[in-house]
Amino acid sequence: MIDGHRGNRQTVTMVGTSPAAQGGVAAVVRALTSSVLSNRYVIDYVETHAEGGTLLKLAIAVKAWVTLQFRLLTSVGGLVHVHIASRASFWRKCFLLLPALAMRKPVLLHLHGGEFKVFYERESSTLAKHVIRYVFEAAAGVIVLSTGWKQWVERSFPRSKVRVIYNPAPDVARSAYVREPATLLFLGKLGEKKGVNDLLRAVAMLVPEFGEIRLLLGGDGDVMGANQLARKLEIVEYVEFLGWVSGQRKQELLEQCAAFVLPSYNEGLPMGLLEAMAYGMPVVTTPVGGIPEAVTDGMEGFLVEPGDIDALADRLARLLRDEALRSEMGTAGARKVSSTFAMERIIPQWVALYSEHGIAPAGDPGKANG
């Protein structure tokens, strides 16, 4: 029987995609579950999704439902911390959470993904909107990644209880990296929504001036479409498709490339962006989602409107021409991460939130001690 305690640590049932999966949500899950948070609480993780075929995904979803219901019926106290995004991610979690909400168990919805507004406002039927609204307003709390998302959730679901907790950036031992002066890095899911096609067109505009330019695209998604566009633009020799990168290879890229580029149309608070800033890279990105809370235009990098290819090319050219500017913005970005997004800044906020819902950290049965 799971009694809500192990030793003097209390149990948090965390629900979400496999920590071994690709993408930003899995990166946040890995960051939280490998942090000091796991020393303060027992985190029982329930996987709802993993890479693989339809039968495997179905088996994982069924197992997750059975596991969570068992824990809900047998545990004393505790709470459920669920990572959700839009579309299939939401409906998988909804199927799991409705019994928990019906039993009045404390549920914290941790909202990821930059397209939830599109999913709710444009893609959901009237009935689906009622279900989504019920889940958000019945939850004990909704955690979002920026003040902009907080305002939207509060407008859309007025009875919800919303709090902003930023994604945590990795701890990085800064050093004097030797960077390749004309190499740009993109990390994420390749496709139009992340602005990859815009980025390829901007690079094509830069090739005449910067003959040594290289664009490294790290990620899965529409690789074939991006490759075809690069060929059409006659820049294939300047573009390298890396596939999904992680671990030591990812660290090397963050240490070696001149600038990070993410011209997305929708975002939450992208982990790749925070990682690049932590490594002292200047960034060129868009003012969507939580990005403006991490990047001030002209300080840690440049912000351009989604789809403005001319502006994207112009800001990249400014960085490629000016090593001192790249260094200055990179230093500002690392400083911003340290002051606002570092793990030591974020974890106490989770401890305080868990404590508010009756889950005290180890060594403090009465309250959170940060």
Side-chain angles (χ1 to χ4, degrees):
M1 175 176 177
I2 301 174
D3 65 0
H5 294 73
R6 292 182 189 173
N8 67 340
R9 294 186 297 164
Q10 294 198 49
T11 298
V12 174
T13 299
M14 194 175 286
V15 180
T17 190
S18 168
Q22 300 170 349
V25 179
V28 174
V29 168
R30 288 193 297 270
L32 292 178
T33 56
S34 63
S35 72
V36 296
L37 202 64
S38 63
N39 297 327
R40 314 292 293 274
Y41 309 92
V42 174
I43 298 179
D44 282 334
Y45 196 84
V46 179
E47 294 185 10
T48 61
H49 181 261
E51 301 298 327
T54 302
L55 289 178
L56 175 62
K57 291 178 179 178
L58 179 61
I60 290 172
V62 171
K63 180 181 178 182
W65 192 90
V66 172
T67 301
L68 183 58
Q69 305 322 307
F70 175 79
R71 292 179 181 176
L72 292 172
L73 292 170
T74 58
S75 66
V76 177
L79 84 162
V80 181
H81 173 173
V82 56
H83 299 270
I84 64 168
S86 56
R87 305 183 180 98
S89 172
F90 175 82
W91 294 118
R92 277 194 302 270
K93 310 304 169 34
C94 181
F95 178 65
L96 289 168
L97 292 178
L98 286 177
L101 296 173
M103 285 186 263
R104 298 186 181 278
K105 296 288 185 177
V107 173
L108 300 177
L109 300 182
H110 193 168
L111 180 59
H112 303 268
E115 295 198 329
F116 202 91
K117 180 179 179 181
V118 174
F119 162 63
Y120 177 74
E121 294 182 350
R122 303 181 193 174
E123 300 174 0
S124 297
S125 66
T126 300
L127 176 59
K129 287 180 178 178
H130 281 302
V131 175
I132 296 168
R133 188 178 304 115
Y134 167 76
V135 170
F136 272 74
E137 295 187 342
V142 179
I143 297 86
V144 294
L145 306 181
S146 69
T147 55
W149 274 108
K150 182 176 187 289
Q151 292 164 0
W152 179 81
V153 171
E154 289 175 335
R155 286 196 306 269
S156 302
F157 317 115
R159 290 192 295 274
S160 61
K161 296 167 280 293
V162 193
R163 178 173 303 190
V164 176
I165 300 182
Y166 294 133
N167 283 340
D171 295 325
V172 175
R174 289 293 312 281
S175 62
Y177 303 125
V178 179
R179 298 191 178 277
E180 300 171 1
T183 302
L184 307 175
L185 178 65
F186 169 95
L187 296 175
K189 197 172 188 68
L190 274 61
E192 291 187 14
K193 294 177 181 179
K194 291 289 186 180
V196 171
N197 292 356
D198 297 339
L199 178 54
L200 289 169
R201 292 187 173 95
V203 168
M205 296 170 64
L206 295 172
V207 164
E209 179 178 352
F210 304 97
E212 300 300 315
I213 193 171
R214 293 174 65 219
L215 172 62
L216 306 184
L217 297 174
D220 58 5
D222 188 14
V223 177
M224 181 178 297
N227 193 294
Q228 289 175 345
L229 180 58
R231 292 183 182 281
K232 180 179 178 180
L233 295 169
E234 299 182 345
I235 59 169
V236 69
E237 65 187 283
Y238 303 98
V239 181
E240 186 175 350
F241 294 88
L242 306 176
W244 195 266
V245 293
S246 59
Q248 182 64 32
R249 177 55 175 151
K250 185 177 184 179
Q251 179 178 332
E252 291 171 355
L253 292 169
L254 293 169
E255 292 175 353
Q256 295 170 3
C257 294
F260 182 84
V261 195
L262 185 68
S264 294
Y265 284 73
N266 296 283
E267 283 292 349
L269 182 59
M271 287 293 285
L273 180 77
L274 295 179
E275 290 170 343
M277 292 171 65
Y279 275 87
M281 295 180 70
V283 300
V284 179
T285 185
T286 50
V288 298
I291 290 176
E293 293 175 42
V295 180
T296 300
D297 186 38
M299 295 292 292
E300 298 85 12
F302 291 116
L303 297 176
V304 299
E305 290 300 318
D308 191 340
I309 299 170
D310 289 338
L312 179 60
D314 174 76
R315 303 312 188 272
L316 290 172
R318 290 193 202 179
L319 285 176
L320 293 176
R321 294 186 191 115
D322 194 336
E323 181 180 0
L325 179 62
R326 296 198 301 270
S327 177
E328 178 183 337
M329 287 185 163
T331 299
R335 186 165 54 243
K336 183 70 161 289
V337 165
S338 179
S339 67
T340 307
F341 303 99
M343 192 73 71
E344 64 186 23
R345 309 285 183 185
I346 303 303
I347 294 303
Q349 298 176 51
W350 282 108
V351 172
L353 181 59
Y354 287 172
S355 182
E356 289 175 19
H357 293 284
I359 308 298
D364 186 0
K367 62 180 181 178
N369 57 21

